[in-house]
Amino acid sequence: YLCRVQELFCEYPQAFVVGVDHVNALQLSTIRKILRTYNAVVLMGKNTLLRRALRTMAVVDRKLDALLPLVRGNVGFVLCKGHLREILDVLETERVAAPAKAGQLAPCSVVVRAGLTGLDPTRTSLFAVFNIATKITRSQVEILNNVEVLRPGERIGPSVVALLAKLEIFPFSANDLVPYSALI
């Protein structure tokens, strides 16, 4: 594995670190296939092995020292020979909407918009939990005001998950190959 990592970093002149939280194997495989056409490779592996390979290569190329602190958590490398902008555009087009999951930290603010919900009037108790003002219009629950149910960094509770699921709101991305840095 160490030899493979060293070969890739020698062969590909540009790289950036990506976070791969909430990316499933099928999505990662699809992204790898697409990136091959752009002459790019996704490198994943154990962080300890990646750090070890980077440390041994940093003796020759001091720029690789800057990557070491970024190898934390669920991360990988996208190595390429072409333009980074093209690769970033590909990653952006492959994003998929995902539902909120209980226990996660909200990466962004989530607002429930005012308007008809499509839910029958028996569901008003779901909105009462969050102090969301509602009324019954044409046999549907109507939300009267925009309400922020999640703020960035807030832990997502099961009741918020239930509310967002009932309203069919998918506030997050499941395919978040998030670029952290483009260093090499």
Side-chain angles (χ1 to χ4, degrees):
Y1 181 77
L2 296 175
C3 294
R4 170 102 172 113
V5 171
Q6 290 173 346
E7 286 172 10
L8 287 174
F9 272 97
C10 290
E11 182 182 346
Y12 292 91
Q14 300 175 11
F16 55 91
V17 181
V18 291
V20 290
D21 288 331
H22 318 298
V23 179
N24 65 35
L26 179 63
Q27 291 169 327
L28 193 57
S29 175
T30 303
I31 289 170
R32 281 186 163 142
K33 287 178 188 174
I34 293 170
L35 290 180
R36 279 188 209 122
T37 62
Y38 290 91
N39 209 3
V41 175
V42 178
L43 174 65
M44 301 294 297
K46 294 282 189 185
N47 288 350
T48 52
L49 292 176
L50 284 172
R51 275 192 228 104
R52 186 181 194 190
L54 288 172
R55 278 191 196 107
T56 58
M57 292 169 34
V59 173
V60 177
D61 188 358
R62 300 305 297 172
K63 290 188 293 186
L64 295 176
D65 270 339
L67 293 176
L68 286 171
L70 298 174
V71 182
R72 296 263 185 266
N74 200 7
V75 297
F77 290 96
V78 175
L79 303 149
C80 63
K81 293 180 181 176
H83 296 289
L84 289 175
R85 177 82 318 218
E86 289 176 349
I87 306 302
L88 291 172
D89 290 342
V90 168
L91 295 180
E92 189 62 37
T93 59
E94 288 300 311
R95 287 197 174 186
V96 178
K101 294 181 183 169
Q104 287 181 334
L105 293 178
C108 61
S109 176
V110 178
V111 176
V112 175
R113 303 273 176 219
L116 290 174
T117 62
L119 298 176
D120 60 285
T122 60
R123 303 291 183 180
T124 55
S125 62
L126 187 63
F127 299 101
V129 172
F130 296 98
N131 294 326
I132 298 175
T134 60
K135 69 177 184 177
I136 308 302
T137 306
R138 290 181 259 150
S139 298
Q140 292 183 30
V141 177
E142 181 180 0
I143 298 173
L144 301 177
N145 303 316
N146 292 343
V147 178
E148 184 179 36
V149 292
L150 284 174
R151 290 178 186 82
E154 205 173 85
R155 190 157 305 277
I156 302 171
S159 56
V160 175
V161 171
L163 175 69
L164 295 176
K166 288 287 183 193
L167 295 174
E168 296 180 0
I169 296 174
F170 304 107
F172 308 124
S173 297
N175 195 5
D176 259 346
L177 277 181
V178 181
Y180 287 144
S181 169
L183 290 173
I184 299 178

